[in-house]
Amino acid sequence: MVTLGCARNEVDSEELAGRLEAGGFRLVEDPAAADTVVVNTCGFVEAAKKDSVDTLLQAADLKASAGTGGRAQAVVAVGCLAERYGKDLAESLPEADAVLGFDDYPDIAARLRSIVAGEVHHPHTPQDRRLLLPISPVDRAASTTPVPGHGDQVPPAAPVAGSAADPATVGAGGPATGPRAVRRRLDSGPMAALKLASGCDRRCSFCAIPAFRGSFVSRRPSDVLAEARWLAEQGARELFLVSENSTSYGKDLGDLRLLETLLPELAAVDGVERVRVSYLQPAETRPGLVQAIGDTPGVVPYFDLSFQHASATVLRRMRRFGDPESFLGLLEQVRAAAPLAGVRSNVIVGFPGETEDDLQTLCDFLVAARMDVTGVFGYSDEDGTEAASYDGKLDDDEVRARAEHVTALVEELNAQRAEERIGEHVEVLVESLGEDGTAEGRAAHQGPEVDGTTTLEAPREGAHAVGRLVAATVVSTDGVDLLAEPTGGVR
């Protein structure tokens, strides 16, 4: 199982792995030892699409070399790229033996068995998945449309040697007997992503995600809590709550404040030390949620705010809301609730119609915002989006120049923000160890993968251990990365 893209895709891969294992398959570490290579693709932007195609081609090369020691019989594409393009992807990439959509996920084991047996799978014709669910959010719970990452339980399979159900490897996946989560951890690290919801009801003019991920659907709190307990049993000490829009959680369940009540329950799960929320829509981030994230014990004060721009004119063309004043006001609320909160965002530059004044407005906002990390993306047309039809397009060189300009600015600003944390007391979740006795992990303000890391100096006595939370003081920085000295507290 090869996973590309975001943390949401990682959850989907682990659901697929759980379903495959329940269906009698065994996950192997070495691709050369696999009968089937499943590539969970990303279809977000051009670079991600290219990475997905390249990975499928690499897997096909592995299959072609099966006669020289490998055994791969099939290469299967799943995930967002496969769902978004379906038969078109299959026609343009004959090296893949099958292209499976989200509707295939519940029966993934049967699908793979037929593909390995040489049967031809006819890929789906892509459609707008928003049309598969009721318009009214409260009516969506009764839908039987498959939603990746929302699996509840499956009955246990007969133990397969080396699988999570094998008595020799119990603990690697679900329990050996009784119902088990539709999930099989593919990473033994101390952080685990936990899906709150899937899909999105917003209509941002640049984004194609709702069309292939579907309308917004919350998971039931009982399912989220059950999976949180299961993840804690598997060694997860930090839960990373993911969705396309976490601020909408609960709206289709009749309570838009459901996340505020769920967070303390997740933080109270035995074994869980930190809960982190991702992807907040600024226009939907209400004061109660800011307060809940800022001061709930066990929930880290971390705000992943999707600003995308600061110019009111550009934001309206994006079908979004906001301006520098409202965004800075939100950041004031955040820092009033939690003065040391981590704040990250993403911005798009070179959007159709963006003027020099709009760009300056964005830059002025970034200076005033003092965020820890800002991702910068140059605009490009996405198939099927409203913005692809807009006039006022900037040429590629201009978009690239603007992206480089803003990237240079945020690199300087983010480095300055990191330097402001020198002398700050932090708790670092250890995720890897160095041969010199140092350890690398993340402080509370650092999200997985994208927000930098904190390196811990070697302790005076004993050794660091993966999964430990180590109290430390920040002593220096390297860009957004921190170097910290342990102060003795470990849990």
Side-chain angles (χ1 to χ4, degrees):
M1 179 74 68
V2 181
T3 307
L4 303 169
C6 64
R8 299 184 294 274
N9 241 22
E10 293 172 9
V11 176
D12 295 351
S13 282
E14 294 195 349
E15 179 192 303
L16 289 172
R19 290 188 181 281
L20 287 167
E21 200 162 64
F25 280 82
R26 179 165 57 91
L27 275 293
V28 295
E29 295 292 332
D30 183 2
D35 294 308
T36 308
V37 179
V38 179
V39 180
N40 192 355
T41 61
C42 178
F44 181 40
V45 293
E46 273 318 306
K49 296 176 195 174
K50 183 179 184 304
D51 285 346
S52 295
V53 171
D54 288 347
T55 302
L56 286 164
L57 291 173
Q58 290 170 10
D61 288 342
L62 184 69
K63 174 189 169 186
S65 65
T68 61
R71 58 181 285 169
Q73 300 174 48
V75 174
V76 177
V78 298
C80 292
L81 191 70
E83 174 63 36
R84 186 175 181 184
Y85 294 104
K87 64 182 183 62
D88 291 337
L89 178 63
E91 291 170 0
S92 63
L93 196 70
E95 292 86 352
D97 295 281
V99 174
L100 304 183
F102 296 154
D103 291 336
D104 293 305
Y105 283 22
D107 299 314
I108 187 68
R111 297 287 187 275
L112 258 61
R113 287 189 188 284
S114 67
I115 293 162
V116 171
E119 296 179 22
V120 176
H121 176 80
H122 297 285
H124 68 288
T125 299
Q127 60 181 316
D128 189 334
R129 290 191 72 83
R130 291 171 292 193
L131 304 178
L132 303 180
L133 292 167
I135 294 175
S136 173
V138 296
D139 293 333
R140 293 173 190 162
S143 173
T144 57
T145 299
V147 181
H150 286 224
D152 298 329
Q153 292 184 330
V154 292
V160 176
S163 75
D166 181 355
T169 56
V170 168
T177 60
R180 52 166 303 209
V182 185
R183 185 165 180 177
R184 204 275 197 194
R185 288 208 72 188
L186 300 175
D187 183 351
S188 61
M191 185 283 298
L194 174 58
K195 189 170 281 193
L196 281 175
S198 289
C200 185
D201 286 340
R202 301 186 72 88
R203 294 294 182 266
C204 301
S205 63
F206 56 84
C207 184
I209 290 175
F212 59 84
R213 275 288 183 179
S215 298
F216 185 86
V217 180
S218 300
R219 297 183 70 194
R220 294 188 300 267
S222 57
D223 292 340
V224 176
L225 282 165
E227 190 164 319
R229 296 186 188 102
W230 180 83
L231 288 169
E233 292 170 0
Q234 308 308 308
R237 304 203 75 196
E238 177 178 313
L239 301 178
F240 185 40
L241 308 185
V242 299
S243 72
E244 276 77 20
N245 179 5
S246 297
T247 36
S248 282
Y249 180 72
K251 74 173 188 179
D252 50 329
L253 301 177
D255 186 357
L256 190 55
R257 296 173 297 176
L258 202 53
L259 185 54
E260 286 97 307
T261 59
L262 180 61
L263 286 174
E265 295 184 73
L266 288 168
V269 170
D270 189 29
V272 171
E273 296 290 345
R274 298 203 307 206
V275 176
R276 183 183 305 275
V277 184
S278 74
Y279 213 83
L280 306 172
Q281 285 285 350
E284 298 180 32
T285 304
R286 51 206 173 270
L289 181 57
V290 170
Q291 202 64 42
I293 294 174
D295 65 11
T296 300
V299 177
V300 294
Y302 174 81
F303 294 82
D304 177 12
L305 295 162
S306 174
F307 289 123
Q308 301 299 355
H309 211 281
S311 164
T313 303
V314 174
L315 286 166
R316 296 304 178 272
R317 286 174 67 83
M318 288 179 168
R319 302 291 185 197
R320 296 177 68 86
F321 304 93
D323 51 49
E325 292 73 26
S326 64
F327 288 167
L328 291 173
L330 175 57
L331 291 173
E332 286 181 11
Q333 291 180 43
V334 165
R335 287 166 177 147
L340 300 179
V343 181
R344 82 167 323 275
S345 190
N346 294 308
V347 297
I348 298 172
V349 297
F351 193 78
E354 182 189 66
T355 66
E356 292 285 353
D357 286 345
D358 293 327
L359 185 65
Q360 189 59 52
T361 297
L362 173 61
C363 292
D364 291 344
F365 164 73
L366 292 171
V367 171
R370 294 176 48 249
M371 291 186 284
D372 291 275
V373 174
T374 306
V376 181
F377 295 87
Y379 172 81
S380 61
D381 287 338
E382 278 297 312
D383 297 337
T385 61
E386 181 184 349
S389 67
Y390 282 179
D391 57 11
K393 299 275 180 65
L394 305 178
D395 65 46
D396 291 345
D397 289 341
E398 179 62 22
V399 172
R400 188 179 305 109
R402 293 188 182 195
E404 290 173 353
H405 171 72
V406 177
T407 297
L409 172 64
V410 300
E411 285 178 350
E412 180 180 350
L413 294 172
N414 295 164
Q416 290 173 4
R417 181 72 186 103
E419 289 174 0
E420 292 175 8
R421 293 192 181 274
I422 292 177
E424 189 175 304
H425 299 293
V426 295
E427 267 198 333
V428 180
L429 178 65
V430 176
E431 295 182 306
S432 63
L433 303 177
E435 295 181 358
D436 57 355
T438 61
E440 185 173 273
R442 292 176 293 106
H445 71 278
Q446 295 171 318
E449 304 293 341
V450 292
D451 293 342
T453 61
T454 298
T455 298
L456 291 165
E457 295 179 347
R460 295 183 180 88
E461 295 180 6
H464 299 304
V466 171
R468 294 288 191 180
L469 278 163
V470 179
T473 300
V474 180
V475 295
S476 66
T477 67
D478 181 9
V480 297
D481 297 326
L482 307 180
L483 176 66
E485 180 180 343
T487 55
V490 178
R491 57 187 174 96

